[in-house]
Amino acid sequence: MSDFLDFAAEHLPYILAGVPTTLALWILAITFGFFFGLVLAWCRIYGKKPAYWASTGYIEIFRGTPMLVQMLFIYLGLPEVGLTFDPFTAAVIAIGLNTSAYQAEYFRGAIQSIPQGQMTAARAMGMSDLQGLIFIVLPQALRRVIPQWSNEAILELKFTSIAFAIGVTEITARAETIGFKTFRFFEIFLIVAAVYFVLTATVAQILHIVERRTAVPGLTLGR
Amino acid sequence: MSALLEVEGIRKKYGQFEVLKGVSLQLERGQAKVVMGPSGTGKSTLLRCINYLTPPDAGTVRLDGEEVVPRNLNRIRQQVAFVFQDFNLFTHLRVIDNITIGPRRILGLSKTEARDRAMRELERVGLADKVRAYPAELSGGQQQRVSIARALAMEPKVILFDEPTSALDPELTGEVVNVMKRLASEGMTMLVVSHEIGFARSAADEIVFMDGGHILEQGPPAQLFDAPQHERTRRFLRMIGDQVGDAAAAGEGA
């Protein structure tokens, strides 16, 4: 046991030095996914035929193929047609595009769950459709989507680990490096799993607090 | 002087079914008119056509001489408030914010101006103590009074009421009707679809009786209630007279 603790003490700093990369990758990707997801949801709900079909096709393709394949395609495939990205950027793009497809579907469901009368009342007082969306529908839909969105965000935090496959030195890549240097894979992957667990538990707790503090009677399911 | 609200030849078809077959009416400044008639006669549709929540197939609507067209629609709607059967208060906003959001975001009032105006209107409907409540924490009658305050805060030229008491339990209709009576006596211009005989008799300047997508007859309450011209009107009045509570509770739909 003390042997394990010594090993952990020796290598944990190197692993933890990858946390900023992991978090940066995650935050950039889910933020991009958030805004692009909203645009996709808008196209699916309010868009004319071309926008509807384009967004639907996009969502189906990105949900229907593995994220690792998407990432490898962006990092290794696109340079052949003249689009070159460094590993970190390629990973952000891949995870961001992928999560936008999932977030779009959650947003769509939440927006459509808001009763029609809310938008009707907004229009009746003289709001444009965009104002009605921004001031009335979205504040309600976003509150409702928090539980599903939290799941998605935590899923993506764990998915940042596949960026190691294209050489981003986030925490999984660092663990692998130590593993091959020391051949103590058992310990090192236990340690990195624990680091992920602390990160996801913290994020889950923060999102839970956000959910509680934004809750409104009659809109979200109280507890 | 021309009427404040002029509605002319409104027609509306849903599929093969013509709900409105050319309806015209005028509303003078300060006038309160009540529209009555059997279910499915197009009363609510008429109201929704006036502010284009349901665009009419034909006909024109003029407010203060200005014709409503898609280009000026949002500006016209700021002056034609709408009170819904099922209130449609904004669920995520406290009472105060439900009332200030229009003046702030649409009319561009400052935060304090909008707040002062909201407090004034809340006092008018007797709910100043509910400022911080969310809609779900209010009774139906209170929600409808807040929605009337929300309408008033836009300082509209006319308010359209679409069966404002139909979704309420009988014991809650009184508080809403009282607020509406007060508005009428203060000279608010109102067009009301409702079967509240009490309101119609005491507060309306004129009753409009609709049947089958037409206006069958209209006139002052005394004339229409006590000496209706048409057999159809007589039959309808007899029916709602027999079941005053039921007619309101049954609701109307389109």
Side-chain angles (χ1 to χ4, degrees):
Chain A
M1 189 62 198
S2 73
D3 182 41
F4 176 74
L5 290 180
D6 288 343
F7 179 79
E10 186 187 344
H11 295 291
L12 195 56
Y14 181 72
I15 302 273
L16 291 181
V19 168
T21 307
T22 293
L23 288 182
L25 190 54
W26 175 65
I27 288 169
L28 288 172
I30 59 166
T31 305
F32 171 81
F34 179 86
F35 289 107
F36 193 43
L38 280 178
V39 172
L40 290 169
W42 167 279
C43 290
R44 284 205 77 178
I45 300 171
Y46 303 106
K48 305 220 185 310
K49 281 250 163 66
Y52 172 84
W53 286 115
S55 56
T56 304
Y58 175 92
I59 288 166
E60 292 309 326
I61 287 167
F62 274 87
R63 291 199 309 175
T65 55
M67 197 197 291
L68 182 57
V69 172
Q70 295 162 12
M71 198 179 284
L72 292 171
F73 178 79
I74 288 166
Y75 183 62
L76 298 174
L78 287 185
E80 291 181 22
V81 294
L83 275 172
T84 308
F85 302 103
D86 64 86
F88 182 81
T89 308
V92 169
I93 293 172
I95 299 172
L97 291 177
N98 186 281
T99 184
S100 68
Y102 285 92
Q103 291 191 38
E105 284 298 89
Y106 295 137
F107 292 148
R108 182 173 70 95
I111 289 171
Q112 288 178 333
S113 80
I114 304 304
Q116 291 271 324
Q118 296 287 308
M119 190 63 160
T120 309
R123 290 168 61 205
M125 64 166 42
M127 286 194 194
S128 65
D129 284 5
L130 189 64
Q131 284 178 313
L133 189 80
I134 291 172
F135 295 129
I136 307 302
V137 176
L138 272 188
Q140 299 185 32
L142 290 180
R143 280 180 171 86
R144 272 201 184 160
V145 86
I146 292 175
Q148 290 161 306
W149 193 88
S150 301
N151 267 341
E152 172 64 15
I154 288 165
L155 205 61
E156 296 306 325
L157 176 53
K158 293 178 287 179
F159 261 125
T160 57
S161 61
I162 67 170
F164 104 97
I166 59 172
V168 179
T169 47
E170 41 69 70
I171 58 181
T172 304
R174 284 165 180 263
E176 202 212 17
T177 306
I178 296 170
F180 276 111
K181 222 155 58 187
T182 61
F183 288 101
R184 294 175 68 170
F185 292 105
F186 183 87
E187 288 96 333
I188 197 64
F189 282 117
L190 271 185
I191 289 168
V192 82
V195 171
Y196 275 113
F197 183 75
V198 170
L199 291 179
T200 55
T202 308
V203 168
Q205 195 52 42
I206 291 170
L207 288 172
H208 187 65
I209 291 169
V210 170
E211 183 185 352
R212 235 182 19 223
R213 298 195 55 164
T214 57
V216 161
L219 181 63
T220 40
L221 298 171
R223 41 174 57 245
Chain B
M1 198 168 69
S2 66
L4 177 64
L5 183 71
E6 295 170 290
V7 177
E8 217 175 289
I10 296 286
R11 288 176 176 277
K12 182 70 191 177
K13 234 184 207 174
Y14 288 118
Q16 286 301 302
F17 180 61
E18 194 164 32
V19 188
L20 297 173
K21 300 170 180 166
V23 175
S24 304
L25 62 80
Q26 268 127 43
L27 206 55
E28 306 290 338
R29 224 168 293 270
Q31 205 177 27
K33 269 195 190 189
V34 171
V35 182
M36 293 190 157
S39 278
T41 357
K43 306 182 299 291
S44 289
T45 306
L46 172 65
L47 228 53
R48 283 166 178 264
C49 280
I50 290 174
N51 74 348
Y52 276 61
L53 283 180
T54 302
D57 298 334
T60 57
V61 177
R62 280 198 188 77
L63 182 74
D64 245 348
E66 185 181 6
E67 187 174 337
V68 182
V69 290
R71 201 169 37 77
N72 65 17
L73 189 52
N74 285 343
R75 190 164 49 76
I76 297 273
R77 280 176 178 162
Q78 296 164 21
Q79 305 163 46
V80 181
F82 202 100
V83 173
F84 296 88
Q85 179 176 350
D86 43 6
F87 333 129
N88 288 340
L89 289 179
F90 301 129
T91 318
H92 64 303
L93 297 178
R94 294 178 192 276
V95 163
I96 184 78
D97 301 319
N98 258 283
I99 302 173
T100 55
I101 191 164
R104 284 200 66 197
R105 301 295 183 187
I106 304 170
L107 305 181
L109 263 60
S110 76
K111 204 172 173 174
T112 38
E113 284 172 321
R115 216 191 137 78
D116 291 347
R117 198 187 269 196
M119 287 312 299
R120 186 184 75 206
E121 303 308 346
L122 267 179
E123 266 158 38
R124 221 163 146 189
V125 301
L127 286 172
D129 57 327
K130 296 293 183 188
V131 178
R132 303 275 303 158
Y134 283 103
E137 297 167 335
L138 302 177
S139 72
Q142 291 172 331
Q143 289 191 52
Q144 192 60 297
R145 281 148 70 198
V146 172
S147 97
I148 292 173
R150 177 174 70 176
L152 291 169
M154 295 296 284
E155 298 192 339
K157 291 179 175 162
V158 50
I159 306 183
L160 310 177
F161 290 84
D162 186 11
E163 312 209 16
T165 57
S166 296
L168 299 176
D169 292 334
E171 72 266 27
L172 297 179
T173 58
E175 61 186 69
V176 173
V177 169
N178 286 339
V179 167
M180 291 171 61
K181 278 183 184 167
R182 185 138 30 87
L183 292 182
S185 72
E186 288 167 9
M188 175 56 76
T189 313
M190 307 159 70
L191 186 60
V192 183
V193 170
S194 173
H195 291 161
E196 284 296 326
I197 299 275
F199 175 78
R201 267 202 188 274
S202 66
D205 299 297
E206 210 161 282
I207 310 294
V208 176
F209 184 75
M210 277 183 73
D211 187 37
H214 293 289
I215 290 179
L216 205 58
E217 60 180 304
Q218 51 186 319
Q223 177 198 320
L224 201 111
F225 286 134
D226 303 330
Q229 305 278 304
H230 289 264
E231 171 55 25
R232 188 77 192 85
T233 316
R234 274 194 287 274
R235 224 181 328 142
F236 175 77
L237 289 173
R238 225 168 17 244
M239 193 194 71
I240 62 169
D242 285 346
Q243 36 177 316
V244 174
D246 291 347
E252 277 306 304

